[in-house]
Amino acid sequence: MDRDTFAYSTKFFRDYSGPPRGAGCQSHEHVDYIEKPEVFTYADFFKDYLIPNDPCVFSAKFTEGWGSRRKWVTPDGKPNFEYLLRTFGEAVVPVANCDVKEYNSNPKEHLKLKEYIHYWKEHIKKGYRSPRGCLYLKDWHLHRAFPEQDVYTIPVYFSSDWLNEYWDAIAVDDYRFVYMGPKGSWTPFHADVFRSYSWSANICGKKKWLVFPPGREEDLRDRHGHLPFDITSPELKKGTLYPRYAQSSPPVEIIQEAGEIVFIPSGWHHQVYNLEDTISINHNWVNGCNVAIMWSFLQDELAAVQREIREWKDSMEDWHLQCQVLMKSYTGIDYKEFYNFLKIIAENRIFVLEHHHSEEDASKHSYRAAISGLGMLHAVFDLKRTAKVLTSLNANEEFKKMNPETFSPPPSALLHRLKAAIDTALL
């Protein structure tokens, strides 16, 4: 995408400083449906959905060229079990039991895909009943295990993806998943990791989404302050257990058909049901539009950990560092790794701005090529958002206790380089 495509939103790149909205200040009863790829641009998505933090649904036309929609689905729209067995049958996959609750989640086991498909076929034959319960293949890192497979192409709208950019760079993890499950499988009430965005594309089947704009989930908390596992449970109607439920607003309901993509913004809690035998591809991602929400979430998580173990503050050596360790075990990241995350994002964009006349240099790195493709103003926007969050991180008292001046580079040096790159690009 060239510079002119983003000229309309220079006011965002240069001047926008407020957080994305979405805290219940506007009506969210209607979710927009995007019909035609040829008339819907990245710029449209950026200004109408990313910045406002609003959901939308993309029609099946946006995925009709994907290999998975041709190969993973039978002519009558069902999962193509034979193809999946031939191609991935020996792969080991995570499987959750939707009928069992353990510590506010479904317990998981690992099976070979061929074992899971055998279960799934038997489950269908028995009228969607099984003594093993309703098993749901969730969070399978297929892209990482089979990068050579022609499965899907990431739509340009979701290409500014800092989470996978970072975790690919350190070669540790990713946030790209495949879900497969029979009719009746479901995912309990939650908001996504790090309060990230998510997109979910149905390869086949149908889903029902129950979604709540940020803030509206507060009325669903029980008397201890905990959110429910299942928002359809009759228990919520017991005023002594859920004192604010009577004043809660109903969820926004989305029915997602085969081929369609649902965009779930940051902090929107949701519960999801498979209404048919369904396969979907899901990504979590963060970018310049919601990185401040991620930083706010991490601060809240650390504060929660500190409250949990505050009685040991005076007796535990390096209590503050232990809080960081616990936070990382719960959420997958601590303040030091968050700094490294911002550093890699910043360095990739600084590289693109400094080498924007050299297509060969950028093309050697897929993410740098993607950054270049979104245009120079987008790279500047990303750097300005990174600088704002990094400034806040560097001023944070808990971060200071980690001796950040020993990091490479120190945050103050990275901030100086960031601001210099922004100033040079805007000359």
Side-chain angles (χ1 to χ4, degrees), residues 109-384:
E109 60 180 316
H110 284 81
L111 304 174
K112 286 190 174 181
L113 182 65
K114 63 183 182 182
E115 297 174 49
Y116 179 71
I117 288 179
H118 175 75
Y119 154 83
W120 195 349
K121 288 180 175 180
E122 290 298 309
H123 192 66
I124 294 171
K125 286 180 183 177
K126 295 177 181 178
Y128 294 93
R129 297 177 183 273
S130 170
R132 299 181 66 182
C134 183
L135 303 185
Y136 191 5
L137 188 163
K138 301 174 72 172
D139 301 325
W140 179 21
H141 295 266
L142 179 137
H143 177 85
R144 195 169 70 199
F146 298 93
E148 74 286 351
Q149 285 290 325
D150 174 25
V151 178
Y152 63 102
T153 302
I154 298 173
V156 65
Y157 316 102
F158 317 132
S159 59
S160 181
D161 176 353
W162 295 10
L163 277 189
N164 289 302
E165 179 179 345
Y166 171 70
W167 264 274
D168 284 351
I170 63 174
V172 170
D173 202 357
D174 72 339
Y175 287 89
R176 311 175 186 92
F177 308 106
V178 168
Y179 283 48
M180 300 184 183
K183 180 176 68 174
S185 51
W186 65 293
T187 298
F189 192 57
H190 70 287
D192 286 315
V193 60
F194 309 137
R195 297 302 181 263
S196 58
Y197 298 133
S198 69
W199 62 265
S200 178
N202 274 2
I203 304 307
C204 63
K206 180 188 291 189
K207 290 182 186 287
K208 178 170 75 172
W209 297 73
L210 303 177
V211 302
F212 287 81
R216 289 194 189 173
E217 78 282 355
E218 294 301 320
D219 289 334
L220 304 180
R221 293 189 183 274
D222 66 17
R223 63 187 181 188
H224 303 293
H226 302 136
L227 289 170
F229 179 76
D230 176 5
I231 60 171
T232 68
S233 170
E235 291 289 301
L236 272 72
K237 296 181 180 179
K238 296 180 179 179
T240 55
L241 295 177
Y242 293 89
R244 295 172 59 184
Y245 177 74
Q247 66 192 58
S248 66
S249 300
V252 178
E253 182 174 309
I254 301 170
I255 300 298
Q256 179 188 17
E257 303 285 351
E260 295 178 345
I261 306 173
V262 170
F263 166 62
I264 299 296
S266 284
W268 284 61
H269 284 70
H270 48 284
Q271 187 162 309
V272 191
Y273 297 89
N274 289 325
L275 303 180
E276 300 173 355
D277 296 314
T278 301
I279 300 175
S280 64
I281 291 169
N282 307 271
H283 280 210
N284 294 107
W285 95 104
V286 168
N287 60 29
C289 297
N290 67 339
V291 67
I293 296 176
M294 179 181 180
W295 169 225
S296 179
F297 167 74
L298 294 178
Q299 292 174 83
D300 290 344
E301 288 295 291
L302 181 60
V305 169
Q306 291 176 335
R307 286 193 297 271
E308 285 293 317
I309 64 169
R310 61 180 176 268
E311 63 187 282
W312 292 291
K313 183 175 183 179
D314 296 329
S315 59
M316 182 184 292
E317 186 177 357
D318 296 326
W319 180 83
H320 292 282
L321 294 180
Q322 291 301 318
C323 290
Q324 294 283 339
V325 171
L326 287 172
M327 174 189 170
K328 187 168 185 176
S329 71
Y330 296 151
T331 67
I333 194 171
D334 60 11
Y335 280 15
K336 183 175 182 179
E337 184 152 34
F338 184 58
Y339 170 71
N340 288 331
F341 166 77
L342 295 175
K343 178 182 75 172
I344 285 178
I345 297 306
E347 288 176 343
N348 280 343
R349 281 140 189 82
I350 290 170
F351 180 93
V352 166
L353 290 176
E354 292 177 348
H355 298 81
H356 64 277
H357 295 302
S358 175
E359 294 183 7
E360 181 179 354
D361 286 339
S363 65
K364 293 177 183 177
H365 305 273
S366 60
Y367 280 105
R368 289 174 179 173
I371 297 162
S372 296
L374 290 176
M376 305 310 295
L377 280 176
H378 201 296
V380 171
F381 170 81
D382 287 353
L383 286 180
K384 292 185 75 172

Side-chain angles (χ1 to χ4, degrees), residues 51-72:
I51 288 292
N53 205 44
D54 281 343
C56 63
V57 178
F58 294 80
S59 77
K61 293 178 182 178
F62 288 82
T63 63
E64 61 186 7
W66 289 6
S68 53
R69 289 202 59 206
R70 296 191 308 272
K71 302 172 186 175
W72 292 20

